[in-house]
Amino acid sequence: MKYLFVLCFLFQVISMSANAQSYKYHTVKKGETVFSISQSYSIDEEDIYKYNPEAKNGIGIDEKLVIPISENNTEVSSNTETSVTSVSFKEHQVRKKETLYSLSKEYGVSIDNIKRYNKQLYSKELQIGETIQIPVGNIPAENVVVKNTPQPESTNQSEKAPAEKPLNSKVSSSSQNFKTREHIVLPQETKYGIARKYGMTLKELDEMNPKVEILQPGMMIRVGTAVLDEEPVIITDDRFRFYEVKPQETLYRLSKKFEVSQDSLIRLNPALTEGLKFGMVLKVPKKDGNSENEENNQYTGMEAGSQSKVDLKSFIDNRDPKEIALMLPFHLDKVDADSIPTYRNAILNERVIRISLDFHSGVLMAVEKAKSMGISTKLKVYDTRRSTGEVSNILRTNNFDNVDAVIGPLIQDVTETVAGALENRNIPVINPLSNRSMKGYGNLFQSRPSEEFLRSKMVDYIARNASGKNVIVIADSKSFAIKNELMSAVPSARTVNPSDNFVSEAKLAEVMSSGENWVILESENMNLISSVAAALNRLTRNNKITLLTTNKNNGYESDVISNNHLGKLKLHYPSVDKEFDTQQDDEFVKLYAKKFKVQPNQYAMRGYDLTMDVLLRLASAEDLYESFEKYPGYTEYYESKFHYLMKPEGGYTNDAIYILNLNEDLTITEANDL
C-alpha cells in the first residue's frame, strides 16, 4: 500500500484496441474552434465532445481541452543524445530500511541520477530485495524526451499564444531557473509529493503558487520541470481514467465509488455544474488496472481487500525476532521508592496512566500468544511521561536501528514527535487510540478512524440500503452539515425539524408510512434524543421503525435515555470496536483473568488486538509496509479490525469499522447490508 501513489500524471487506457490510447491537454487559442482543433489532431469533433462535454456550450481562449492522441507517435529528443560510454554501473540489492537518500550518500550519486537509470523508481519506492543499477563515473547531463504530438499551426505569427507565466510573477531567483509547466492535482496528492516529483523544494513550489494554500483535486498549479512541452502530455496508466456514467448513478455514489469528494469531481468535470447525466464521460481516479473489473464494481487490490477478511496466521513465514518499541505514559517519575501507595494514588487519579497500564497488559498477552505461534518478540517499553522532550531524549539515547515498529505513544503531539524523528528510517509508528487528525508523516499509522470517517461510512451504509424505505431525517441546528450530506445521499428523504430540542409524537406520525420507516437522528442533545426515542417507541405499536445515527455520542449514554427504547427501535450506529462478551468461555479471557486477577477491559482488548495484528503482519512479510501490499484484506481480532489506507495528507489510517445494531434484548450484533 505504501507504493500505491505514482509520481507521474497519468490516465488509464480506455480503448481495448491494439494501439494504446494517450491524452494531452490543448490550450485553446484565439480564433480556434472545436472543428479546427479536431482537424489539427486528425480526430473527429465527437472525440473532443466525448471527453469535454462542456465544449458543446462553446469554448473560450485559454480553456483546456482533453485531446485523445495516438500512443504510436514517435518520441524525439530535444537535442542529440549525449554519449554515455563513460558511464558504468554497479548492481545493488536493496536491504531493509535503505532509502534513495541513504544510497545517494553511500555511492555519492544524486537521487535523480539513481532514478534516471532505474525508471521504475519514478512510480514506486525502493523494495527490499530489489536489484538496481547505481551509475558511477562521468554521468552525462540528462536529455529530456518529449512526446511528438501534433500541434495546431497558426498562419498568423501574432496569433500564437504567448508563453504562459506562473500564477504569480513574484518568485525567487531559484524558482525562476525552472522551466515551468502545468500540473493538475490528483486526488490524494500532497505538496511534498508534487515537489519531489518535479525535483523542487516545497519553498520553490509555494513561491510558484503563492495563492495556493490547500491542494484540491483538479486544481491546476505551476511546477518546475525539465519537460520542454508547454502543455502536459498525459500518458496512459492506472491512476486516472475516463468513466462513462451509468443509468441511475448519482454524484454521491460516484464520489464514494472513486473515493473523491463531490466538489473534487465537479472541479475535474466542470460540466457537472449543469447536473449529472447518463452517458457523460467523467475524469475520475481509478482504483486498479483492470477496467473491466471496475466497470462491474468488482474491484481488486485494496478496495476489494477492504471487503474480504484475511487470517495472517496461515501465512507466517518470517521467523526472525520482531523488535517492538512500546511507548506509553506510565509516569514512573511519580513513583516514590519509599511510598508505593503514592503511585497507586496517582494511578487512581490519572486516567491516562490507567489506560496505559491496561493497554500494556493486552500487549503482553499478545506477545505471549505470538510466542506460542513461533513468533519471537523483543519488546522494549519506554515511559513517555506525555512529554515531547522525554521522547526526544528516548530517541536520542536509545538505538532504534533494528526496531520493526513503534506502538504508541497515546498522545497526539508526542506521537507526531516520534513519527517525525523516525520517518527517514521508515520505521512505522502506530498510534493506538487517538482519532484526531495528525501530521502527514509517511510512517505514521492511525489505528483508530476519525469521527468524520465513521460518519461517512454510516452515510454510505444508509445510501446503499435506503431503497424502498421511508427515510426521515431529524437533525438539530448544530448538525446541519451531516443533514446536508444525508439529503445528498438519499434525495427522497423527508425531514422533521426539532423545536426547542423536542419533537412531538404527532409530528412524527405525520411522516410515517405503512412500510418500513428509517429515522435518522443527528444530535448530541440528550433531551432531543430522549423525546425522539420515546415518541418513536410509542409509534412502533402501529409502524415498523428503525432508528439510525451517524454518531452514537455521549447523549445516548445518559440515564435519561431508555436503552429499552433504543433496543426496541433496533438502533444502528457506526463504531470502531465491537463489544466482546468477556463473560463467555474464552481462552484469552481465562488467561488474562488468571494473570491479572481482573477481567480485560476495552483498553486491554485494544492492546491485544493491535499488537497481535502488528506481530502477525511482521511475521508474514518482510516489514509492515510489504504486508499491506501482500495481504490487502482486513484483519480482525476480538474487538477490532484493521485495514490501512494512505491519507491524502500523508501517512495511513485504519478504515475498517463496524456498523452495529442494538437488539431488543440489548445484545449488540453487526448490521449487514439488506
Side-chain angles (χ1 to χ4, degrees):
M1 183 165 57
K2 181 183 178 184
Y3 315 114
L4 288 180
F5 300 97
V6 295
L7 298 181
C8 300
F9 183 55
L10 306 169
F11 277 80
Q12 169 63 31
V13 176
I14 290 182
S15 173
M16 298 303 292
S17 64
N19 292 327
Q21 179 73 67
S22 297
Y23 308 88
K24 72 166 293 175
Y25 272 97
H26 174 82
T27 304
V28 178
K29 300 177 177 61
K30 182 178 179 181
E32 286 187 323
T33 64
V34 171
F35 176 75
S36 67
I37 294 171
S38 70
Q39 293 299 299
S40 298
Y41 290 99
S42 300
I43 59 176
D44 294 332
E45 289 179 86
E46 286 304 316
D47 291 328
I48 295 179
Y49 290 133
K50 180 177 181 180
Y51 300 107
N52 307 269
E54 63 273 16
K56 292 181 179 179
N57 298 323
I59 58 175
I61 297 174
D62 293 333
E63 185 176 336
K64 299 291 181 182
L65 299 177
V66 176
I67 304 295
I69 58 176
S70 174
E71 182 67 14
N72 56 14
N73 284 327
T74 58
E75 294 185 354
V76 296
S77 174
S78 59
N79 49 43
T80 304
E81 184 69 35
T82 305
S83 173
V84 295
T85 56
S86 60
V87 181
S88 58
F89 299 92
K90 179 176 181 179
E91 287 190 351
H92 178 91
Q93 189 172 34
V94 179
R95 298 184 295 272
K96 189 175 182 179
K97 294 186 172 65
E98 282 187 321
T99 64
L100 284 173
Y101 176 79
S102 68
L103 292 178
S104 71
K105 295 300 181 184
E106 179 180 347
Y107 290 101
V109 61
S110 71
I111 293 175
D112 286 340
N113 278 326
I114 295 176
K115 288 185 175 182
R116 178 178 171 187
Y117 295 102
N118 300 272
K119 299 299 186 185
Q120 76 278 11
L121 297 181
Y122 283 109
S123 61
K124 65 178 183 179
E125 302 288 344
L126 287 172
Q127 300 192 49
I128 296 172
E130 175 183 17
T131 298
I132 63 174
Q133 303 292 325
I134 304 293
V136 294
N138 297 321
I139 303 173
E142 183 173 5
N143 290 303
V144 179
V145 177
V146 300
K147 286 286 185 184
N148 182 23
T149 54
Q151 297 294 322
E153 296 181 0
S154 174
T155 56
N156 188 340
Q157 184 68 23
S158 64
E159 288 185 2
K160 289 185 178 180
E164 296 188 46
K165 299 178 181 179
L167 296 179
N168 191 309
S169 59
K170 296 176 68 177
V171 297
S172 68
S173 58
S174 63
S175 62
Q176 286 176 346
N177 292 331
F178 283 108
K179 292 182 182 296
T180 63
R181 70 177 295 187
E182 293 159 339
H183 175 87
I184 299 178
V185 179
L186 291 171
Q188 302 188 358
E189 277 195 311
T190 64
K191 284 188 177 181
Y192 173 79
I194 293 172
R196 184 173 64 174
K197 179 188 301 184
Y198 293 102
M200 305 170 64
T201 65
L202 280 174
K203 181 179 179 182
E204 289 166 342
L205 183 66
D206 287 336
E207 286 175 339
M208 282 190 172
N209 303 276
K211 296 181 180 180
V212 178
E213 295 182 0
I214 300 176
L215 293 182
Q216 296 288 347
M219 179 184 291
M220 188 176 293
I221 63 174
R222 282 289 178 182
V223 293
T225 179
V227 177
L228 301 180
D229 192 5
E230 290 182 0
E231 297 178 14
V233 173
I234 305 152
I235 310 169
T236 58
D237 194 74
D238 62 356
R239 274 304 299 145
F240 225 73
R241 65 166 293 193
F242 292 109
Y243 177 80
E244 186 172 350
V245 178
K246 304 295 185 297
Q248 299 182 345
E249 284 190 310
T250 65
L251 192 59
Y252 176 82
R253 292 297 298 141
L254 289 176
S255 73
K256 293 300 180 183
K257 180 175 184 176
F258 297 108
E259 295 181 357
V260 62
S261 71
Q262 295 181 48
D263 287 343
S264 295
L265 279 176
I266 292 172
R267 290 190 187 96
L268 291 168
N269 304 275
L272 288 175
T273 56
E274 303 297 325
L276 184 69
K277 300 179 181 67
F278 163 60
M280 288 179 71
V281 177
L282 305 179
K283 290 167 251 182
V284 296
K286 191 178 186 303
K287 289 185 175 294
D288 59 63
N290 190 322
S291 60
E292 182 179 356
N293 277 351
E294 182 156 3
E295 294 292 343
N296 294 302
N297 281 330
Q298 300 298 319
Y299 300 124
T300 59
M302 296 309 300
E303 177 65 14
S306 66
Q307 304 300 324
S308 58
K309 183 177 179 179
V310 61
D311 184 359
L312 295 176
K313 294 192 294 293
S314 305
F315 303 101
I316 297 174
D317 60 4
N318 182 351
R319 299 289 179 177
D320 293 340
K322 315 306 172 194
E323 189 164 319
I324 303 295
L326 178 63
M327 293 186 167
L328 296 171
F330 295 109
H331 282 291
L332 296 177
D333 54 312
K334 295 183 178 182
V335 177
D336 186 340
D338 297 326
S339 180
I340 295 300
T342 300
Y343 186 61
R344 289 180 181 150
N345 290 334
I347 293 174
L348 293 175
N349 295 323
E350 177 57 69
R351 180 172 179 267
V352 173
I353 296 178
R354 297 200 310 273
I355 291 174
S356 297
L357 291 171
D358 291 333
F359 187 86
H360 178 239
S361 67
V363 172
L364 294 178
M365 293 294 294
V367 169
E368 287 188 15
K369 181 64 175 179
K371 185 178 180 180
S372 70
M373 301 177 187
I375 305 170
S376 176
T377 306
K378 296 179 181 178
L379 181 66
K380 295 184 178 180
V381 183
Y382 300 95
D383 180 10
T384 65
R385 302 182 184 181
R386 300 173 68 178
S387 166
T388 56
E390 180 63 22
V391 294
S392 296
N393 181 58
I394 291 170
L395 294 168
R396 185 173 58 254
T397 57
N398 293 274
N399 184 2
F400 278 73
D401 289 343
N402 296 317
V403 170
D404 293 292
V406 175
I407 297 178
L410 298 185
I411 312 303
Q412 176 183 356
D413 57 345
V414 185
T415 300
E416 291 172 340
T417 298
V418 176
L422 299 178
E423 184 181 30
N424 64 338
R425 285 186 270 180
N426 286 333
I427 298 176
V429 177
I430 304 103
N431 182 278
L433 296 176
S434 177
N435 62 358
R436 296 181 179 179
S437 177
M438 296 189 184
K439 294 180 180 178
Y441 294 112
N443 61 329
L444 179 53
F445 293 76
Q446 285 191 253
S447 67
R448 191 175 188 87
S450 67
E451 290 183 1
E452 290 76 13
F453 184 83
L454 288 172
R455 288 192 181 99
S456 176
K457 284 289 188 179
M458 188 64 190
V459 171
D460 197 29
Y461 171 84
I462 292 170
R464 290 197 310 270
N465 295 281
S467 178
K469 317 252 187 341
N470 176 37
V471 179
I472 303 162
V473 178
I474 304 171
D476 60 22
S477 58
K478 294 181 180 179
S479 305
F480 67 91
I482 186 63
K483 176 183 177 181
N484 291 338
E485 189 173 351
L486 286 164
M487 296 305 296
S488 176
V490 190
S492 61
R494 308 166 78 176
T495 61
V496 173
N497 296 319
S499 176
D500 296 326
N501 292 316
F502 177 81
V503 175
S504 68
E505 180 181 344
K507 197 170 185 179
L508 288 170
E510 291 176 359
V511 292
M512 289 290 154
S513 75
S514 58
E516 190 171 356
N517 298 277
W518 272 20
V519 179
I520 307 171
L521 177 57
E522 297 300 318
S523 176
E524 296 185 11
N525 186 282
M526 62 181 180
N527 292 325
L528 177 58
I529 297 171
S530 177
S531 70
V532 170
L536 291 176
N537 184 66
R538 292 189 292 272
L539 289 170
T540 56
R541 298 165 189 165
N542 301 309
N543 299 276
K544 188 176 181 181
I545 302 173
T546 299
L547 179 63
L548 307 95
T549 184
T550 66
N551 180 21
K552 187 176 179 290
N553 50 70
N554 291 334
Y556 287 86
E557 306 300 327
S558 170
D559 292 337
V560 177
I561 314 298
S562 170
N563 284 331
N564 290 327
H565 288 171
L566 298 179
K568 192 172 183 180
L569 294 168
K570 303 178 292 294
L571 176 66
H572 284 51
Y573 60 95
S575 177
V576 174
D577 306 308
K578 64 179 179 181
E579 187 174 333
F580 178 72
D581 184 4
T582 58
Q583 301 303 314
Q584 66 177 283
D585 187 20
D586 183 85
E587 181 186 7
F588 171 77
V589 176
K590 288 180 180 178
L591 291 174
Y592 188 95
K594 181 179 179 180
K595 186 178 182 68
F596 298 105
K597 312 304 179 188
V598 293
Q599 296 290 315
N601 63 12
Q602 60 175 316
Y603 300 110
M605 301 298 287
R606 184 71 174 176
Y608 178 89
D609 286 355
L610 179 62
T611 306
M612 200 74 247
D613 185 63
V614 170
L615 292 177
L616 284 172
R617 287 191 177 279
L618 291 173
S620 56
E622 285 295 322
D623 57 28
L624 208 60
Y625 300 107
E626 187 193 51
S627 75
F628 301 125
E629 288 282 328
K630 201 172 178 181
Y631 310 106
Y634 73 86
T635 53
E636 185 174 26
Y637 304 93
Y638 282 104
E639 286 195 349
S640 307
K641 54 184 178 179
F642 303 95
H643 178 258
Y644 292 98
L645 288 179
M646 183 176 283
K647 297 190 296 184
E649 63 271 24
Y652 301 84
T653 188
N654 177 21
D655 77 334
I657 70 161
Y658 296 96
I659 305 297
L660 298 180
N661 173 24
L662 180 63
N663 301 305
E664 192 164 357
D665 61 0
L666 301 186
T667 58
I668 298 174
T669 54
E670 285 189 65
N672 298 316
D673 280 2
L674 304 177

